[in-house]
Structure formats: C-alpha cells, structure tokens
Amino acid sequence: ETGVTQSPTHLIKTRGQQVTLRCSSQSGHNTVSWYQQALGQGPQFIFQYYREEENGRGNFPPRFSGLQFPNYSSELNVNALELDDSALYLCASSLDYNEQFFGPGTRLTVL
Amino acid sequence: GESVGLHLPTLSVQEGDNSIINCAYSNSASDYFIWYKQESGKGPQFIIDIRSNMDKRQGQRVTVLLNKTVKHLSLQIAATQPGDSAVYFCAEPRGGSYIPTFGRGTSLIVHP
C-alpha cells in the first residue's frame, strides 16, 4: 500500500449537486495531484497542488476546484455535477515533483 | 499533439508464459516514460521507468525496451503469474514534471 488514503470510497450523487472528495497524502509528501479515470480509460490529470498552491491544471472546467491544507491533505470539489462526471477519482501524492504514489480512488456515480 | 497510446486493449496469456505489452508515443522529444500497473479497485502502481538515453532497463521479472526510432516501448513480464493480472499503462510525464499522461491501458489476463 502507498499510504495515500481517500474518502469516501464510493459516492452517489444526482445531476446538479456538488461533491467534495478528500485525500490524505503519504507522510512526508507535499504535493498532491488529482486525476479522473472514466471506465475503460487511463487517468486524466485534473490539477496539482504544491504547498497549498495550484501548480498545474489539465483540461477540466472551473467547476472542478481544489484545496490543499497545511498538513498537505487535499480536497477536490466538483460543482453542478453532470452525468459524465461519473468516474473513479484518484489522488496521488509526491515529495516535490518526484514519483507519484496513488491512492485507491473514490468511485463517483452521478444519476 | 502529444499522445501515448497502446496497441492492444486485452492480452491473454497462460501462467508461466512471458508477456509483452506494447505502447506507442508520438512526441519525439519525450525523454522519460513510466509503466504503471493498476489492479482492480486500486490506483495505479509504479512498475518501472526508463529515460530516453537508455534502450533497455530491467527490474524484477520486468524489462522495458525503448525504441526511439519508431517511438515505441514495450513492457516484458517474465514467467507471468496470476497476480500479474491487471491493466498496464505506459505514461509520459508532462514537460519535465512527474505528472504522467496516460494512455488507455492494456488489460493483462493470466490463465492458470
């Protein structure tokens, strides 16, 4: 196991709702990246946080936002949920910009 | 644009056989590649990486080969075991960072 934990493991929401997903980094790591993985696809980069600042963003709309806290844990918030947001959301932590260690993911279903 | 893709979506092998998973990339300037293994219900796990100044790198039961001429890399798994059953991704980190760009993945199924 990597030491990266995510909560909840599964979540069901309806279209238009908002959701918050949480990630605890591996001890000693200061960088967190979030990915969306649709069924049968590879993970797609959403954004990265380094020492509480957003440090890079993929091709996702502004309704995907995040936070990193002083203890380097992180949240991913998604507003105005759409059906296509149904996916596995992965968090990965690293020390600076080195090798990333992935958590088990949160499975989000939007109905 | 940059892309990382895989030739086969599913590979079935018998336990004990060697497995070869292929990956093509399009950015000739790419200088670093990573292979990940993702088991059901888990996040991707780093297996092995290779830099563009190398043609081959070996790990425990795994070997990655890089052919820069045809922009192709492969992951070879020796004596494949049932525990090797997973989806395998090659990934190309974005612009000097370790943020990987993943392809679709190849599902490896190992039959006992």
Side-chain angles (χ1 to χ4, degrees):
Chain A
E1 300 300 324
T2 63
V4 180
T5 60
Q6 294 186 243
S7 62
T9 55
H10 297 84
L11 198 55
I12 299 175
K13 291 286 190 178
T14 56
R15 195 170 48 181
Q17 285 188 312
Q18 179 266 341
V19 70
T20 297
L21 310 181
R22 294 178 175 83
C23 171
S24 291
S25 307
Q26 182 168 313
S27 178
H29 286 182
N30 56 13
T31 305
V32 172
S33 303
W34 285 92
Y35 296 81
Q36 180 195 67
Q37 185 175 22
L39 198 62
Q41 303 293 322
Q44 299 298 307
F45 174 69
I46 303 175
F47 45 57
Q48 182 182 76
Y49 279 83
Y50 172 69
R51 295 188 175 185
E52 304 179 58
E53 298 280 336
E54 187 178 295
N55 184 48
R57 190 177 183 95
N59 189 26
F60 281 83
R63 60 190 185 84
F64 286 78
S65 63
L67 281 173
Q68 188 180 30
F69 299 100
N71 66 355
Y72 302 126
S73 64
S74 178
E75 287 183 353
L76 165 65
N77 299 289
V78 187
N79 294 322
L81 283 166
E82 301 177 0
L83 298 178
D84 285 349
D85 295 333
S86 295
L88 180 68
Y89 288 85
L90 294 162
C91 162
S93 75
S94 62
L95 175 60
D96 299 328
Y97 305 115
N98 294 305
E99 179 188 340
Q100 297 188 341
F101 295 82
F102 286 82
T106 293
R107 173 71 63 188
L108 173 65
T109 302
V110 182
L111 302 176
Chain B
E2 300 173 7
S3 68
V4 178
L6 298 175
H7 292 305
L8 296 173
T10 303
L11 176 65
S12 292
V13 300
Q14 292 295 128
E15 182 178 359
D17 286 352
N18 296 331
S19 303
I20 300 176
I21 300 170
N22 296 304
C23 180
Y25 63 96
S26 60
N27 183 7
S28 56
S30 297
D31 61 359
Y32 179 63
F33 303 90
I34 305 171
W35 280 98
Y36 288 92
K37 171 186 180 182
Q38 187 174 22
E39 297 175 86
S40 180
K42 297 184 179 180
Q45 176 187 6
F46 174 95
I47 302 173
I48 191 168
D49 58 4
I50 189 167
R51 296 202 175 272
S52 60
N53 61 352
M54 303 171 70
D55 296 325
K56 178 179 180 179
R57 189 166 189 215
Q58 289 185 291
Q60 186 178 9
R61 282 200 306 117
V62 296
T63 300
V64 56
L65 300 178
L66 175 61
N67 186 330
K68 295 180 286 293
T69 302
V70 295
K71 291 184 285 189
H72 179 272
L73 65 159
S74 66
L75 178 71
Q76 301 179 1
I77 305 174
T80 313
Q81 301 168 1
D84 295 327
S85 292
V87 177
Y88 290 81
F89 297 95
C90 65
E92 174 188 359
R94 294 158 40 121
S97 73
Y98 274 70
I99 300 173
T101 299
F102 290 83
R104 272 194 68 191
T106 293
S107 177
L108 176 64
I109 300 171
V110 182
H111 300 282

